[in-house]
Coordinates of all heavy atoms in Angstrom, one line a residue:
D19 N 17.9 4.9 8.5 CA 16.9 4.9 9.5 C 16.1 3.6 9.6 O 15.8 3.1 8.5 CB 15.9 6.1 9.4 CG 16.3 7.2 10.3 OD1 17.1 7.0 11.2 OD2 15.8 8.3 10.1
A20 N 15.7 3.2 10.7 CA 14.8 2.1 10.8 C 13.5 2.5 10.2 O 13.0 3.6 10.3 CB 14.5 1.7 12.3
P21 N 12.7 1.6 9.6 CA 11.5 1.9 8.9 C 10.4 2.3 9.8 O 9.4 2.9 9.4 CB 11.1 0.7 8.1 CG 11.9 -0.4 8.8 CD 13.1 0.2 9.4
Y22 N 10.5 1.8 11.1 CA 9.5 2.2 12.1 C 10.1 2.3 13.4 O 11.2 1.7 13.6 CB 8.3 1.2 12.1 CG 8.7 -0.1 12.5 CD1 8.7 -0.5 13.8 CD2 9.1 -1.1 11.5 CE1 9.1 -1.8 14.2 CE2 9.5 -2.4 11.9 CZ 9.5 -2.7 13.2 OH 9.8 -4.0 13.6
L23 N 9.5 2.9 14.4 CA 10.0 3.0 15.7 C 9.3 2.1 16.7 O 8.1 2.0 16.7 CB 10.0 4.4 16.2 CG 10.9 5.4 15.5 CD1 10.5 6.9 15.9 CD2 12.4 5.1 15.7
L24 N 10.1 1.3 17.5 CA 9.5 0.5 18.6 C 9.0 1.4 19.7 O 9.5 2.5 19.9 CB 10.6 -0.4 19.1 CG 11.3 -1.4 18.2 CD1 12.5 -2.1 18.8 CD2 10.3 -2.4 17.7
R25 N 8.1 0.9 20.4 CA 7.6 1.5 21.6 C 8.3 0.7 22.8 O 8.0 -0.4 22.9 CB 6.1 1.5 21.7 CG 5.5 2.4 20.7 CD 4.0 2.0 20.4 NE 3.2 2.1 21.6 CZ 2.7 3.2 22.1 NH1 2.9 4.4 21.4 NH2 1.9 3.2 23.1
V26 N 9.2 1.4 23.5 CA 10.0 0.7 24.5 C 9.7 1.1 25.9 O 9.7 2.3 26.2 CB 11.5 1.0 24.2 CG1 12.4 0.2 25.2 CG2 11.9 0.5 22.8
T27 N 9.4 0.1 26.7 CA 9.1 0.4 28.1 C 10.4 0.4 29.0 O 11.4 -0.2 28.5 CB 8.1 -0.6 28.8 OG1 8.8 -1.9 28.8 CG2 6.8 -0.6 28.0
P28 N 10.4 1.0 30.2 CA 11.6 1.0 31.0 C 12.1 -0.4 31.3 O 13.3 -0.7 31.3 CB 11.2 1.7 32.3 CG 10.1 2.7 31.8 CD 9.4 1.9 30.7
S29 N 11.2 -1.4 31.5 CA 11.7 -2.7 31.8 C 12.2 -3.4 30.6 O 13.2 -4.2 30.7 CB 10.5 -3.6 32.4 OG 9.4 -3.7 31.6
Q30 N 11.8 -3.1 29.4 CA 12.3 -3.7 28.2 C 13.7 -3.1 28.0 O 14.7 -3.8 27.6 CB 11.5 -3.3 26.9 CG 10.2 -4.2 26.9 CD 9.2 -3.7 25.9 OE1 9.2 -2.6 25.4 NE2 8.3 -4.6 25.4
L31 N 13.9 -1.7 28.2 CA 15.1 -1.1 28.0 C 16.2 -1.7 28.9 O 17.3 -2.0 28.6 CB 15.0 0.4 28.4 CG 16.3 1.3 28.2 CD1 16.8 1.3 26.8 CD2 16.0 2.7 28.7
K32 N 15.7 -2.0 30.2 CA 16.7 -2.6 31.2 C 17.3 -3.9 30.7 O 18.4 -4.2 31.1 CB 15.9 -2.8 32.5 CG 16.8 -2.8 33.7 CD 15.8 -2.8 35.0 CE 16.7 -2.9 36.2 NZ 15.9 -2.9 37.4
Q33 N 16.5 -4.7 29.9 CA 17.0 -6.0 29.4 C 18.2 -5.8 28.4 O 19.1 -6.6 28.3 CB 15.9 -6.7 28.6 CG 14.7 -6.9 29.4 CD 14.8 -8.0 30.4 OE1 15.3 -9.1 30.1 NE2 14.3 -7.8 31.6
M34 N 18.2 -4.7 27.8 CA 19.1 -4.5 26.6 C 20.4 -3.7 27.1 O 20.7 -2.6 26.8 CB 18.5 -3.7 25.5 CG 17.2 -4.4 25.0 SD 17.4 -6.1 24.6 CE 18.3 -5.9 23.1
N35 N 21.1 -4.4 28.0 CA 22.3 -3.8 28.7 C 23.6 -4.2 28.1 O 24.7 -3.9 28.7 CB 22.2 -4.2 30.2 CG 22.2 -5.7 30.4 OD1 22.5 -6.4 29.4 ND2 21.9 -6.1 31.6
G36 N 23.6 -4.8 27.0 CA 24.8 -5.2 26.3 C 25.5 -6.5 26.8 O 26.6 -6.9 26.4
R37 N 24.9 -7.1 27.8 CA 25.4 -8.3 28.4 C 24.7 -9.6 27.8 O 23.6 -9.5 27.3 CB 25.3 -8.3 29.9 CG 26.0 -7.2 30.6 CD 25.6 -7.1 32.0 NE 26.0 -5.8 32.6 CZ 27.2 -5.6 33.3 NH1 28.0 -6.6 33.4 NH2 27.5 -4.5 33.7
K38 N 25.3 -10.7 28.0 CA 24.8 -12.0 27.7 C 24.3 -12.1 26.2 O 23.2 -12.5 25.9 CB 23.6 -12.4 28.6 CG 24.0 -12.6 30.0 CD 22.8 -13.0 30.9 CE 23.2 -13.1 32.4 NZ 22.1 -13.3 33.2
G39 N 25.1 -11.5 25.3 CA 24.8 -11.5 23.9 C 23.7 -10.6 23.5 O 23.4 -10.6 22.3
R40 N 23.2 -9.8 24.4 CA 22.2 -8.8 24.0 C 22.9 -7.5 23.5 O 23.9 -7.1 23.9 CB 21.3 -8.5 25.2 CG 20.5 -9.6 25.7 CD 19.5 -9.2 26.8 NE 18.6 -10.2 27.1 CZ 18.3 -10.6 28.4 NH1 18.9 -10.0 29.4 NH2 17.6 -11.6 28.6
D41 N 22.1 -6.9 22.6 CA 22.5 -5.5 22.2 C 22.5 -4.5 23.4 O 21.8 -4.8 24.3 CB 21.7 -5.0 21.0 CG 22.1 -5.7 19.7 OD1 23.2 -6.3 19.6 OD2 21.4 -5.4 18.7
A42 N 23.1 -3.4 23.2 CA 23.1 -2.4 24.2 C 22.3 -1.3 23.6 O 22.5 -0.7 22.5 CB 24.5 -1.8 24.5
W43 N 21.2 -0.9 24.4 CA 20.3 0.2 24.0 C 20.4 1.2 25.1 O 20.7 1.0 26.3 CB 18.9 -0.2 24.0 CG 18.4 -1.3 22.9 CD1 19.3 -1.9 22.0 CD2 17.1 -1.7 22.7 NE1 18.6 -2.7 21.2 CE2 17.3 -2.7 21.6 CE3 15.9 -1.5 23.2 CZ2 16.1 -3.3 21.1 CZ3 14.8 -2.1 22.7 CH2 14.9 -3.1 21.7
T44 N 20.2 2.5 24.7 CA 20.1 3.6 25.7 C 19.0 4.5 25.3 O 18.6 4.6 24.1 CB 21.4 4.3 25.9 OG1 21.3 5.1 27.1 CG2 21.8 5.2 24.7
A45 N 18.5 5.3 26.2 CA 17.5 6.3 25.9 C 18.0 7.6 26.2 O 18.7 7.9 27.2 CB 16.2 6.1 26.8
L46 N 17.9 8.5 25.1 CA 18.3 9.9 25.3 C 17.3 10.8 24.7 O 16.8 10.6 23.5 CB 19.7 10.1 24.4 CG 20.9 9.4 25.0 CD1 22.0 9.4 23.9 CD2 21.4 10.0 26.2
G47 N 16.9 11.8 25.4 CA 15.8 12.6 25.0 C 14.5 12.0 24.6 O 13.8 12.4 23.7
G48 N 14.2 10.8 25.2 CA 13.0 10.2 25.0 C 13.0 9.2 23.7 O 12.1 8.5 23.5
M49 N 14.2 9.2 23.0 CA 14.4 8.3 21.9 C 15.3 7.1 22.4 O 16.1 7.3 23.3 CB 15.1 9.0 20.8 CG 14.4 10.2 20.2 SD 12.8 9.8 19.5 CE 13.3 8.7 18.2
V50 N 15.1 6.0 21.8 CA 15.9 4.8 22.1 C 16.9 4.5 21.0 O 16.5 4.5 19.8 CB 15.0 3.5 22.4 CG1 15.8 2.3 22.7 CG2 14.0 3.9 23.5
Y51 N 18.1 4.3 21.3 CA 19.2 4.0 20.3 C 19.8 2.7 20.7 O 20.1 2.4 21.8 CB 20.3 5.1 20.4 CG 19.7 6.5 20.2 CD1 19.2 7.3 21.2 CD2 19.7 7.1 18.9 CE1 18.7 8.5 21.1 CE2 19.2 8.3 18.7 CZ 18.7 9.1 19.8 OH 18.2 10.3 19.6
N52 N 20.1 1.9 19.6 CA 20.9 0.7 19.7 C 22.3 1.1 19.5 O 22.7 1.3 18.3 CB 20.4 -0.3 18.7 CG 21.2 -1.6 18.9 OD1 22.2 -1.7 19.6 ND2 20.7 -2.7 18.3
I53 N 23.1 1.3 20.6 CA 24.4 1.8 20.5 C 25.5 0.7 20.2 O 26.6 1.1 20.0 CB 24.8 2.6 21.8 CG1 24.7 1.7 23.0 CG2 24.0 3.9 21.9 CD1 25.1 2.4 24.3
T54 N 25.0 -0.5 20.0 CA 26.0 -1.6 19.8 C 27.0 -1.3 18.6 O 28.2 -1.5 18.8 CB 25.2 -2.9 19.5 OG1 24.3 -3.1 20.6 CG2 26.2 -4.1 19.4
P55 N 26.5 -0.9 17.5 CA 27.4 -0.7 16.4 C 28.3 0.5 16.6 O 29.4 0.7 15.9 CB 26.6 -0.5 15.1 CG 25.2 -0.2 15.6 CD 25.1 -0.7 17.0
Y56 N 28.0 1.4 17.5 CA 28.8 2.6 17.8 C 29.9 2.4 18.8 O 30.8 3.1 18.9 CB 27.8 3.8 18.2 CG 28.6 5.0 18.5 CD1 29.2 5.7 17.5 CD2 28.6 5.5 19.9 CE1 30.0 6.9 17.8 CE2 29.3 6.7 20.2 CZ 30.0 7.4 19.2 OH 30.7 8.5 19.4
V57 N 29.7 1.3 19.6 CA 30.7 1.0 20.6 C 32.2 1.2 20.2 O 32.9 1.9 20.9 CB 30.5 -0.3 21.3 CG1 31.6 -0.7 22.3 CG2 29.1 -0.3 22.1
P58 N 32.6 0.5 19.1 CA 34.0 0.6 18.8 C 34.5 2.0 18.3 O 35.7 2.3 18.3 CB 34.2 -0.3 17.6 CG 32.9 -1.1 17.5 CD 31.8 -0.3 18.2
F59 N 33.5 2.9 18.1 CA 33.9 4.3 17.6 C 33.8 5.4 18.6 O 34.2 6.5 18.4 CB 32.9 4.6 16.4 CG 33.0 3.6 15.3 CD1 32.0 2.7 15.1 CD2 34.0 3.7 14.4 CE1 32.0 1.9 14.1 CE2 34.1 2.8 13.3 CZ 33.0 1.8 13.2
H60 N 33.3 5.0 19.8 CA 33.2 6.1 20.8 C 34.5 6.6 21.3 O 35.3 5.9 21.8 CB 32.4 5.5 22.0 CG 32.2 6.5 23.1 ND1 32.6 6.3 24.4 CD2 31.7 7.7 23.1 CE1 32.2 7.3 25.1 NE2 31.7 8.2 24.4
P61 N 34.8 7.9 21.1 CA 36.1 8.5 21.5 C 36.4 8.3 23.0 O 37.6 8.3 23.4 CB 35.9 10.0 21.1 CG 34.8 10.0 20.2 CD 33.8 8.9 20.6
G62 N 35.4 8.1 23.8 CA 35.6 7.9 25.2 C 35.8 6.5 25.7 O 35.9 6.2 26.8
G63 N 35.7 5.6 24.7 CA 35.9 4.2 25.0 C 34.7 3.4 25.3 O 33.6 4.0 25.5
K64 N 34.8 2.1 25.2 CA 33.7 1.2 25.3 C 33.1 1.2 26.7 O 31.9 1.2 26.9 CB 34.3 -0.3 24.9 CG 33.3 -1.4 25.2 CD 33.9 -2.7 24.8 CE 32.9 -3.9 25.1 NZ 33.3 -5.1 24.5
G65 N 34.0 1.1 27.7 CA 33.6 1.0 29.1 C 32.7 2.2 29.5 O 31.7 2.0 30.1
E66 N 33.2 3.4 29.1 CA 32.4 4.6 29.5 C 31.1 4.6 28.7 O 30.0 4.8 29.4 CB 33.2 5.8 29.1 CG 34.4 6.1 29.9 CD 34.0 6.5 31.4 OE1 33.4 7.6 31.5 OE2 34.2 5.7 32.3
L67 N 31.0 4.3 27.5 CA 29.8 4.3 26.7 C 28.8 3.3 27.3 O 27.6 3.7 27.4 CB 30.1 4.0 25.3 CG 28.9 3.9 24.3 CD1 28.1 5.2 24.3 CD2 29.3 3.5 22.9
L68 N 29.3 2.1 27.6 CA 28.3 1.1 28.0 C 27.8 1.4 29.5 O 26.9 0.6 29.9 CB 29.0 -0.3 28.0 CG 29.2 -0.7 26.5 CD1 29.9 -2.1 26.5 CD2 27.8 -0.8 25.8
R69 N 28.3 2.4 30.1 CA 27.6 2.7 31.4 C 26.2 3.2 31.2 O 25.4 3.1 32.2 CB 28.4 3.8 32.1 CG 29.7 3.4 32.7 CD 30.6 4.5 33.2 NE 30.0 5.2 34.3 CZ 30.3 6.4 34.7 NH1 31.4 7.0 34.2 NH2 29.7 7.0 35.7
C70 N 25.9 3.6 30.0 CA 24.5 4.1 29.8 C 23.6 2.9 29.2 O 22.5 3.2 28.9 CB 24.4 5.3 28.9 SG 24.9 5.1 27.2
A71 N 24.2 1.7 29.0 CA 23.5 0.7 28.4 C 22.3 0.1 29.3 O 22.5 0.0 30.5 CB 24.4 -0.5 28.1
G72 N 21.2 0.0 28.7 CA 20.0 -0.6 29.4 C 19.4 0.4 30.3 O 18.6 0.1 31.2
K73 N 19.7 1.7 30.2 CA 19.0 2.7 31.0 C 18.9 4.0 30.3 O 19.5 4.2 29.2 CB 19.8 2.8 32.3 CG 21.2 3.3 32.2 CD 21.9 3.5 33.5 CE 22.6 2.3 34.1 NZ 23.7 2.6 35.0
D74 N 18.3 5.0 31.0 CA 18.2 6.3 30.5 C 19.7 7.0 30.6 O 20.2 7.0 31.7 CB 17.2 7.1 31.3 CG 17.0 8.6 30.8 OD1 18.0 9.3 30.7 OD2 15.9 8.9 30.5
G75 N 20.2 7.4 29.5 CA 21.6 7.8 29.5 C 21.8 9.3 29.6 O 22.9 9.9 29.6
N76 N 20.7 10.1 29.8 CA 20.7 11.5 29.8 C 21.8 12.1 30.9 O 22.5 13.0 30.5 CB 19.4 12.2 30.0 CG 18.6 12.1 28.7 OD1 18.8 12.7 27.8 ND2 17.6 11.2 28.7
R77 N 21.6 11.6 32.1 CA 22.5 12.2 33.1 C 24.0 12.0 32.8 O 24.8 12.9 32.8 CB 22.1 11.6 34.5 CG 22.9 12.3 35.6 CD 22.5 11.7 37.0 NE 22.8 10.2 37.0 CZ 24.0 9.7 37.2 NH1 25.0 10.5 37.4 NH2 24.1 8.4 37.2
L78 N 24.4 10.7 32.5 CA 25.7 10.4 32.3 C 26.2 11.2 31.0 O 27.3 11.8 31.0 CB 25.9 8.9 32.0 CG 25.9 8.0 33.3 CD1 25.8 6.5 32.8 CD2 27.1 8.2 34.1
F79 N 25.4 11.1 30.0 CA 25.8 11.8 28.8 C 26.1 13.3 29.0 O 27.1 13.8 28.6 CB 24.7 11.6 27.7 CG 25.1 12.2 26.4 CD1 25.6 11.4 25.4 CD2 24.8 13.5 26.1 CE1 26.0 11.9 24.1 CE2 25.1 14.0 24.8 CZ 25.7 13.2 23.9
N80 N 25.1 13.9 29.6 CA 25.2 15.4 29.8 C 26.3 15.8 30.8 O 26.9 16.9 30.7 CB 23.9 15.9 30.3 CG 22.9 15.9 29.1 OD1 23.3 16.1 28.0 ND2 21.6 15.6 29.4
E81 N 26.7 14.9 31.7 CA 27.8 15.2 32.7 C 29.0 15.3 31.9 O 29.9 16.1 32.3 CB 27.9 14.0 33.7 CG 27.0 14.2 34.9 CD 27.1 13.0 35.8 OE1 28.1 12.1 35.6 OE2 26.3 12.9 36.7
V82 N 29.2 14.5 30.9 CA 30.5 14.5 30.1 C 30.5 15.4 28.9 O 31.5 16.1 28.7 CB 30.8 13.0 29.7 CG1 32.2 12.9 29.1 CG2 30.6 12.1 30.8
H83 N 29.5 15.4 28.1 CA 29.5 16.1 26.9 C 28.2 16.5 26.4 O 27.7 16.0 25.4 CB 30.3 15.4 25.8 CG 30.0 13.9 25.7 ND1 28.8 13.4 25.9 CD2 30.9 12.9 25.5 CE1 28.9 12.1 25.7 NE2 30.1 11.7 25.5
S84 N 27.5 17.4 27.1 CA 26.2 17.8 26.8 C 26.1 18.5 25.4 O 25.1 18.6 24.8 CB 25.7 18.8 27.8 OG 26.5 19.9 27.9
W85 N 27.3 19.0 24.9 CA 27.3 19.7 23.5 C 27.3 18.7 22.4 O 27.2 19.1 21.2 CB 28.6 20.6 23.5 CG 29.8 19.8 23.5 CD1 30.5 19.2 22.5 CD2 30.6 19.4 24.7 NE1 31.6 18.5 23.0 CE2 31.7 18.7 24.3 CE3 30.4 19.7 26.1 CZ2 32.6 18.2 25.3 CZ3 31.3 19.3 27.0 CH2 32.4 18.5 26.6
V86 N 27.6 17.4 22.6 CA 27.6 16.4 21.5 C 26.2 16.2 21.0 O 25.2 15.9 21.7 CB 28.2 15.1 22.0 CG1 28.1 14.1 20.9 CG2 29.7 15.3 22.3
N87 N 26.1 16.3 19.6 CA 24.7 16.1 19.0 C 24.5 14.6 18.7 O 24.8 14.1 17.7 CB 24.7 16.9 17.7 CG 23.3 16.9 17.1 OD1 22.5 16.1 17.4 ND2 23.1 17.8 16.2
Y88 N 24.1 13.9 19.8 CA 23.9 12.5 19.7 C 22.9 12.1 18.7 O 23.0 11.0 18.0 CB 23.6 11.9 21.1 CG 22.3 12.4 21.7 CD1 21.1 11.9 21.3 CD2 22.3 13.4 22.6 CE1 19.9 12.3 21.8 CE2 21.1 13.9 23.2 CZ 20.0 13.4 22.8 OH 18.8 13.9 23.3
D89 N 21.8 12.9 18.5 CA 20.7 12.5 17.6 C 21.2 12.4 16.2 O 20.8 11.6 15.4 CB 19.5 13.3 17.8 CG 18.3 12.7 17.1 OD1 17.9 11.6 17.4 OD2 17.7 13.4 16.2
N90 N 22.1 13.4 15.9 CA 22.6 13.4 14.5 C 23.6 12.2 14.3 O 23.6 11.5 13.3 CB 23.4 14.8 14.4 CG 23.9 14.9 12.9 OD1 23.1 14.8 12.0 ND2 25.2 15.3 12.8
M91 N 24.5 12.0 15.4 CA 25.5 11.0 15.3 C 24.9 9.6 15.2 O 25.4 8.7 14.5 CB 26.4 11.0 16.5 CG 27.3 12.2 16.5 SD 28.4 12.1 18.0 CE 29.3 10.6 17.5
L92 N 23.8 9.4 16.0 CA 23.2 8.1 16.1 C 22.0 7.9 15.3 O 21.1 7.0 15.6 CB 22.9 7.8 17.6 CG 24.1 7.9 18.6 CD1 23.6 7.6 20.0 CD2 25.1 6.8 18.3
S93 N 21.8 8.7 14.3 CA 20.5 8.6 13.5 C 20.3 7.2 13.0 O 19.1 6.7 12.9 CB 20.5 9.6 12.4 OG 21.6 9.4 11.5
A94 N 21.3 6.5 12.6 CA 21.2 5.1 12.0 C 20.9 4.1 13.1 O 20.5 3.0 12.8 CB 22.4 4.7 11.2
C95 N 21.1 4.5 14.4 CA 21.0 3.7 15.5 C 19.6 3.9 16.2 O 19.3 3.2 17.2 CB 22.1 3.8 16.5 SG 23.7 3.5 15.9
R96 N 18.9 4.9 15.8 CA 17.6 5.2 16.4 C 16.6 4.1 16.1 O 16.3 3.8 15.0 CB 17.1 6.5 15.7 CG 16.3 7.4 16.6 CD 15.7 8.5 15.7 NE 16.7 9.6 15.4 CZ 16.8 10.1 14.2 NH1 16.2 9.7 13.2 NH2 17.7 11.1 14.0
I97 N 16.1 3.5 17.2 CA 15.2 2.4 17.0 C 13.8 2.5 17.6 O 12.9 1.7 17.3 CB 15.8 1.0 17.5 CG1 16.2 1.2 18.9 CG2 17.0 0.6 16.6 CD1 16.5 -0.2 19.6
G98 N 13.7 3.4 18.6 CA 12.4 3.5 19.2 C 12.2 4.7 20.1 O 13.0 5.6 20.1
I99 N 11.0 4.8 20.7 CA 10.7 5.9 21.6 C 10.3 5.3 23.0 O 9.8 4.1 23.0 CB 9.5 6.7 21.1 CG1 8.2 5.9 20.9 CG2 9.9 7.5 19.8 CD1 7.0 6.7 20.6
M100 N 10.6 5.9 24.0 CA 10.3 5.5 25.4 C 8.8 5.7 25.6 O 8.2 6.7 25.2 CB 11.1 6.3 26.4 CG 12.6 5.9 26.5 SD 12.8 4.1 26.8 CE 12.1 3.8 28.4
V101 N 8.1 4.7 26.2 CA 6.8 4.8 26.6 C 6.7 4.4 28.1 O 7.6 3.8 28.6 CB 5.8 4.0 25.7 CG1 5.8 4.5 24.3 CG2 6.2 2.5 25.8
E102 N 5.5 4.6 28.7 CA 5.3 4.2 30.1 C 5.2 2.7 30.1 O 4.9 2.1 29.1 CB 4.2 5.0 30.7 CG 4.5 6.4 30.9 CD 3.3 7.2 31.6 OE1 2.6 6.6 32.4 OE2 3.2 8.4 31.2
E103 N 5.4 2.2 31.3 CA 5.4 0.8 31.5 C 4.3 0.0 30.9 O 4.4 -1.0 30.3 CB 5.6 0.4 33.0 CG 6.1 -0.9 33.3 CD 7.5 -1.2 32.7 OE1 8.4 -0.4 32.8 OE2 7.6 -2.2 32.0
H104 N 3.0 0.5 31.1 CA 1.9 -0.2 30.7 C 1.6 -0.1 29.3 O 0.7 -0.8 28.7 CB 0.6 0.4 31.5 CG 0.4 1.8 31.1 ND1 0.9 2.9 31.8 CD2 -0.3 2.3 30.1 CE1 0.5 4.0 31.2 NE2 -0.2 3.7 30.2
A105 N 2.4 0.8 28.5 CA 2.0 1.1 27.2 C 2.6 0.2 26.1 O 2.4 0.4 24.9 CB 2.4 2.5 26.9
S106 N 3.3 -0.9 26.5 CA 4.0 -1.7 25.6 C 3.0 -2.4 24.6 O 1.9 -2.7 25.0 CB 4.8 -2.8 26.3 OG 5.3 -3.8 25.4
T107 N 3.4 -2.5 23.3 CA 2.6 -3.2 22.4 C 3.3 -4.5 21.9 O 2.8 -5.2 21.0 CB 2.3 -2.4 21.1 OG1 3.6 -1.9 20.6 CG2 1.4 -1.2 21.5
T108 N 4.5 -4.8 22.5 CA 5.2 -6.0 22.0 C 5.4 -7.0 23.1 O 5.2 -6.7 24.2 CB 6.7 -5.6 21.5 OG1 7.3 -4.9 22.6 CG2 6.6 -4.7 20.3
Ligands
HEM222 C1 33.9 11.6 24.3 C2 29.9 10.6 21.7 C3 28.0 8.4 25.6 C4 32.0 9.4 28.1 C5 32.9 11.6 23.3 C6 33.1 12.3 22.0 C7 31.9 12.0 21.3 C8 31.1 11.1 22.1 C9 31.6 12.5 19.9 C10 34.2 13.2 21.6 C11 33.9 14.5 22.2 C12 34.9 15.6 21.9 O1 36.1 15.3 21.6 O2 34.6 16.8 22.0 C13 29.0 9.9 22.6 C14 27.8 9.4 22.1 C15 27.2 8.8 23.2 C16 28.2 8.9 24.3 C17 27.1 9.6 20.7 C18 25.8 8.2 23.2 C19 25.3 7.4 24.1 C20 28.8 8.6 26.6 C21 28.6 8.1 28.0 C22 29.8 8.4 28.7 C23 30.7 9.0 27.8 C24 27.4 7.5 28.5 C25 30.1 8.2 30.1 C26 29.4 7.7 31.0 C27 32.9 10.0 27.3 C28 34.2 10.5 27.7 C29 34.7 11.2 26.6 C30 33.7 11.0 25.5 C31 34.8 10.3 29.0 C32 36.0 11.9 26.5 C33 37.1 11.1 25.8 C34 38.4 11.9 25.8 O3 38.3 13.1 25.3 O4 39.4 11.3 26.1 N1 31.8 10.9 23.3 N2 29.3 9.6 23.8 N3 30.1 9.1 26.6 N4 32.6 10.4 26.0 FE1 31.0 10.0 24.9

């Protein structure tokens, strides 16, 4: 686990879309995950997984496999919590 959690605003999340050398982050259940190291392991493939990059992934995730325990699988990728736009400290 990361030693502390970042406070991530929607506009910061949007930057982290996996393009231009940036890592891919997604938000699920209010938590932010850096899914970059998981990309090669996703059973549904890279392209599908990266559809949730840089955004709230709940809708896409739940459409496909709402039964998958992402928080358990991605515990090492958990990096932050979503906060409102004005609440950024970074
Ligand atoms: C399959 C994890 C995001 C599309 C799977 C499976 C796991 C998984 C464990 C295998 C499920 C099974 O066989 O019962 C994750 C995690 C995600 C994520 C941890 C975290 C972000 C997404 C997203 C999409 C997606 C955003 C699509 C927009 C798929 C598809 C499969 C799949 C299509 C089925 C692959 C197949 O059976 O051929 N995913 N997934 N996943 N995932 Fe994801």
Side-chain angles (χ1 to χ4, degrees):
D19 259 346
Y22 63 89
L23 292 171
L24 299 170
R25 292 158 59 81
V26 180
T27 63
S29 59
Q30 288 171 334
L31 180 63
K32 202 171 177 180
Q33 304 285 314
M34 305 308 286
N35 56 12
R37 298 170 194 268
K38 297 184 182 167
R40 291 187 176 132
D41 279 351
W43 295 4
T44 192
L46 293 166
M49 302 296 300
V50 180
Y51 302 88
N52 183 345
I53 56 176
T54 308
Y56 179 64
V57 170
F59 302 102
H60 180 234
K64 174 179 177 170
E66 288 291 293
L67 176 59
L68 288 178
R69 288 172 63 195
C70 71
K73 61 174 95 153
D74 185 303
N76 284 287
R77 186 182 55 82
L78 285 170
F79 183 94
N80 288 323
E81 272 175 14
V82 189
H83 39 42
S84 59
W85 62 88
V86 170
N87 188 340
Y88 60 83
D89 193 56
N90 188 52
M91 293 184 59
L92 300 176
S93 60
C95 301
R96 207 189 283 133
I97 56 163
I99 58 171
M100 287 305 296
V101 296
E102 289 180 33
E103 198 59 50
H104 65 267
S106 174
T107 53
T108 53

